[in-house]
Amino acid sequence: MQKFRHFIAEQKNTHMTHIEDSVIYGGVDGVRQAINGLRELRNMLQGQHKGSVSAKWDGAPAVFAGIDPRDGQFFVAKKGIFNKDPKVYKTAADVEADTSGDLADKLKDALEYLPSLGIKNVLQGDFLYSNSDLETKEIDGEKYVTFHPNTIVYAVPVNTPMANEILKSKIGIVWHTSYSGSTFETMKATFGADVSGLNQSLDVWSQDAMITDLSNATLSVRETKDINQKLSQIGVLFNKVSADTLRDIEANQSLAQTIETFSNTKVRKGSYITNTEKHTNDLIKYINDKFQKEIDKRKTEKGKNVQIAKRNDFLAFFSEDNKKNLKMIFDLQKLIVEAKLILLKKLNELNNINTFIKTNKGYKVTGQEGYVAIDQLSGGALKIVDRLEFSYNNFSPDVLKGWQKV
């Protein structure tokens, strides 16, 4: 069995599913992959496994760069690179014809400075800053060189080698995925971009997202015991859940997406799943209410009946047996989240750069956006994110984004 099989087929690497959601999207195999993923990450943090962890950086925009296999020319691109007609930029005029404002400026900077790295294939990364974005700020009594590309403020103490490198550079970028193939359409993604072979350039602060040394974040005896207890509980519960129910949800992606969307409404209100029986009943009410709105919009009896039939078909899944099993599935997700948060707290100890959010009242410490655990043998990946913190940082009106001014 693969340890980190990639259970959701991504369009190159433009989307990734949370580890706990593998339960609803991946069926029986998805649960097994989540369990194996937690075990492997535990082993990594005990020094027993040579897998790798990639940090998720909160950069913007997403940038693709490298050599166009069709003509051998250097290009930069947004996610349109994988369209049927790939949209790539090879001159400043190409950029200006398709984009404007800050996005155009950053893409033109990327086009000017990234060729110096000598990229041979195609890399995907996150743009962190242009030199004009860098600021010196005093936070909690310490001076930092900061950049604020999106939601998270990255801060490096002044007069350190890293700060000096950043200040001398024209742009900063972090790479997380590499691609290979003879055409854009057939390119295959490899998680974890190794940039050790790239040229050194004073103009580009070029990093990869990999965290290969986990020795500074070893699990304590108590943390290991807690993780092992969660994994044991997950295993016992997994054996009780009906495989048929898991397969039915996996086969009905509309239902799986509705379950995830409903659960995200709770996250945005600041809470994970607690009472799973209530969560199950609330989900049914959520679906009923959603269809009722559609029914009420229809002016004719025929139109209403069409929506009523759709609602009834959708709700046919919720038999008493399936409701009982769905509750246990939510219990599984709850335990996976609890185990994930233990590991996430330990991973945040690995940060070699300070991270804050900016509010109207000042700066507040926050963790990395998240992590991706990568198995080097299978090439698969698992997304590890504190969704409550992520949701607060991204949706709270109190948190200022990089493009906002106080």
Side-chain angles (χ1 to χ4, degrees):
M1 182 185 301
Q2 290 181 317
K3 295 174 180 176
F4 280 102
R5 204 180 92 196
H6 198 199
F7 46 82
I8 296 292
E10 300 184 62
Q11 184 185 8
K12 305 305 184 191
N13 180 17
T14 59
H15 174 75
M16 191 179 295
T17 294
H18 295 272
I19 184 173
E20 60 269 28
D21 286 342
S22 63
V23 174
I24 57 173
Y25 286 110
V28 173
D29 284 344
V31 180
R32 288 175 179 151
Q33 290 146 12
I35 293 171
N36 288 333
L38 292 171
R39 285 175 178 163
E40 288 297 306
L41 193 51
R42 174 202 61 189
N43 293 343
M44 289 182 206
L45 292 170
Q46 289 179 317
Q48 299 176 14
H49 182 64
K50 295 297 184 180
S52 299
V53 177
S54 171
K56 289 176 62 61
W57 288 65
D58 188 36
V63 173
F64 296 78
I67 303 301
D68 187 333
R70 299 170 299 182
D71 59 16
Q73 293 187 43
F74 184 85
F75 74 91
V76 298
K78 304 177 295 181
K79 292 179 180 178
I81 182 177
F82 298 119
N83 293 345
K84 186 175 181 180
D85 181 19
K87 187 175 288 293
V88 299
Y89 311 118
K90 297 176 181 176
T91 67
D94 291 342
V95 174
E96 291 169 354
D98 190 56
T99 64
S100 61
D102 186 63
L103 173 60
D105 291 339
K106 285 181 165 46
L107 288 172
K108 285 189 288 186
D109 281 347
L111 192 59
E112 179 177 357
Y113 298 115
L114 291 181
S116 64
L117 298 180
I119 300 170
K120 303 298 183 186
N121 52 356
V122 175
L123 295 176
Q124 179 184 353
D126 292 309
F127 199 102
L128 298 177
Y129 63 82
S130 293
N131 187 266
S132 59
D133 298 321
L134 299 175
E135 296 183 293
T136 300
K137 296 284 186 180
E138 184 171 315
I139 303 174
D140 295 335
E142 184 167 1
K143 286 187 177 181
Y144 296 95
V145 174
T146 67
F147 48 94
H148 189 185
N150 195 18
T151 301
I152 294 176
V153 178
Y154 294 96
V156 181
V158 298
N159 299 323
T160 60
M162 184 184 291
N164 291 335
E165 287 178 13
I166 289 171
L167 287 170
K168 291 177 183 177
S169 65
K170 299 294 193 299
I171 64 172
I173 194 161
V174 59
W175 306 106
H176 54 73
T177 308
S178 60
Y179 295 87
S180 59
S182 57
T183 67
F184 288 125
E185 288 185 342
T186 60
M187 279 186 176
K188 293 184 179 180
T190 301
F191 294 101
D194 181 1
V195 301
S196 60
L198 297 183
N199 299 334
Q200 297 294 310
S201 171
L202 292 177
D203 290 333
V204 184
W205 190 66
S206 172
Q207 307 290 307
D208 64 43
M210 299 305 299
I211 304 171
T212 54
D213 183 6
L214 304 181
S215 60
N216 292 328
T218 304
L219 289 169
S220 68
V221 173
R222 178 57 185 270
E223 289 164 337
T224 301
K225 181 180 178 181
D226 288 345
I227 285 288
N228 289 341
Q229 185 179 47
K230 299 295 183 190
L231 286 168
S232 177
Q233 292 173 326
I234 290 168
V236 170
L237 188 56
F238 181 31
N239 287 329
K240 294 181 179 179
V241 176
S242 166
D244 288 339
T245 301
L246 285 167
R247 292 190 187 102
D248 285 347
I249 298 173
E250 180 188 13
N252 187 342
Q253 290 294 288
S254 179
L255 175 59
Q257 289 167 5
T258 299
I259 292 171
E260 182 188 6
T261 301
F262 170 68
S263 294
N264 282 339
T265 65
K266 303 294 185 182
V267 170
R268 290 196 182 189
K269 291 178 181 177
S271 66
Y272 284 115
I273 300 172
T274 52
N275 184 329
T276 53
E277 183 174 358
K278 183 177 186 301
H279 194 75
T280 304
N281 292 330
D282 286 349
L283 169 64
I284 297 171
K285 182 179 184 302
Y286 170 83
I287 293 170
N288 262 310
D289 290 347
K290 184 178 178 181
F291 275 103
Q292 191 60 51
K293 288 180 181 177
E294 293 301 317
I295 293 168
D296 292 342
K297 287 180 184 177
R298 282 8 185 221
K299 303 298 184 182
T300 67
E301 199 66 27
K302 181 179 179 181
K304 291 180 184 293
N305 287 336
V306 169
Q307 294 303 313
I308 290 170
K310 288 182 178 180
R311 178 196 63 191
N312 293 343
D313 286 344
F314 208 90
L315 291 175
F317 166 82
F318 294 94
S319 65
E320 287 304 312
D321 279 347
N322 275 348
K323 285 170 63 177
K324 177 182 176 182
N325 280 286
L326 187 57
K327 177 193 178 301
M328 288 191 285
I329 288 169
F330 288 144
D331 284 326
L332 272 174
Q333 286 190 299
K334 181 173 177 287
L335 286 166
I336 290 169
V337 167
E338 290 170 358
K340 175 187 74 172
L341 292 177
I342 296 171
L343 296 168
L344 191 56
K345 182 179 179 181
K346 185 59 61 174
L347 286 169
N348 277 330
E349 295 178 11
L350 293 165
N351 286 352
N352 63 353
I353 189 168
N354 300 79
T355 49
F356 301 90
I357 54 172
K358 185 179 181 181
T359 74
N360 287 317
K361 296 180 180 179
Y363 292 89
K364 178 181 175 183
V365 174
T366 190
Q368 277 280 7
E369 183 185 12
Y371 300 87
V372 178
I374 303 166
D375 183 69
Q376 299 298 333
L377 295 177
S378 69
L382 292 170
K383 185 175 176 180
I384 314 291
V385 173
D386 183 341
R387 292 170 95 163
L388 289 188
E389 182 175 58
F390 179 84
S391 179
Y392 172 78
N393 289 347
N394 279 275
F395 300 109
S396 171
D398 299 326
V399 177
L400 301 176
K401 304 298 189 291
W403 58 87
Q404 292 177 298
K405 304 298 181 183
V406 178

